[in-house]
Amino acid sequence: MRKNARGFTLVELLVVIAIIAILAAVVVLIINPLELMRRSRDAARLTDLANLQQAINVAAQEATGSGVGILCFGQTGNPTPGTVMCQGNTNTDPSSTRRNADGTGWVKVNLSSQQSVSVPTLPVDPINNSTYNYTYASDGQSWEIDAVLESQQQINAGRMSNDGGNNPNVYEVGSNLLLLP
Ligand SMILES: [Ca+2]
Ligand SMILES: [Ca+2]
């Protein structure tokens, strides 16, 4: 035992630093902050699509006009079932109008006139780039919205592959999940 404290030796410091580094790595591996952020963004996406699904269903029920003008706002004509008549995307639509909830935004349904489900502005993907974005499509009679989930939690749970749609790499909701490939 040393009687006089003379600080730490270099080796002792290195050992302490190494232990701290290992502990930090273990903590990151266990908690995985990046995965937590992905999960939180996925939760927002799932909520967004659930809200839109509800709002579109209510809008379609409350509307009195033709199906074409409801699901493809302002359009007329005879739709071809299964053929996309109108489409919108949170990333590629003009940023000045993409969040409009009156049918001119990326969802081509006027959600602003209905009373039951309030949608003041359309949601966009939490990241909203070329990989993570929302897409709306309708053939005038049915509709589909797609989003891309990113967390291991949702991927492992098969959320995108077991949604009843035709694309295992996107999460699909709507009345016709075959509209978007
Ligand atoms: Ca899918
Ligand atoms: Ca689809």
Side-chain angles (χ1 to χ4, degrees):
M1 290 290 287
R2 293 189 294 266
K3 286 193 176 169
N4 296 326
R6 54 173 183 81
F8 299 107
T9 67
L10 182 62
V11 172
E12 285 167 342
L13 273 176
L14 287 176
V15 167
V16 168
I17 289 170
I19 290 173
I20 290 173
I22 290 168
L23 284 176
V26 168
V27 165
V28 165
L29 275 177
I30 293 173
I31 299 179
N32 199 344
L34 286 178
E35 169 70 6
L36 286 183
M37 289 165 74
R38 292 188 202 106
R39 287 183 189 186
S40 117
R41 287 193 293 265
D42 278 354
R45 292 178 178 111
L46 294 171
T47 303
D48 285 347
L49 265 58
N51 288 343
L52 286 172
Q53 183 164 31
Q54 195 185 5
I56 293 171
N57 285 339
V58 170
Q61 280 167 11
E62 289 182 355
T64 49
S66 71
V68 176
I70 298 162
L71 294 174
C72 286
F73 179 72
Q75 290 200 31
T76 54
N78 293 318
T80 306
T83 301
V84 173
M85 191 175 189
C86 60
Q87 195 164 342
N89 180 275
T90 55
N91 183 47
T92 56
D93 279 11
S95 58
S96 55
T97 57
R98 64 173 62 140
R99 301 196 68 148
N100 292 359
D102 61 359
T104 63
W106 70 270
V107 173
K108 308 302 179 190
V109 185
N110 185 356
L111 302 174
S112 60
S113 63
Q114 52 158 301
Q115 307 297 317
S116 326
V117 183
S118 172
V119 183
T121 55
L122 294 179
V124 298
D125 187 277
I127 293 179
N128 206 29
N129 60 14
S130 57
T131 303
Y132 299 102
N133 52 67
Y134 302 155
T135 303
Y136 172 89
S138 172
D139 60 359
Q141 299 181 328
S142 57
W143 62 277
E144 173 178 348
I145 291 179
D146 290 357
V148 181
L149 305 177
E150 56 180 322
S151 69
Q152 280 307 314
Q153 182 188 43
Q154 296 298 342
I155 291 168
N156 293 344
R159 184 72 84 144
M160 291 189 287
S161 50
N162 297 325
D163 54 13
N166 58 350
N167 186 339
N169 300 315
V170 297
Y171 178 63
E172 299 154 89
V173 299
S175 57
N176 180 1
L177 303 185
L178 305 179
L179 283 175
L180 287 164

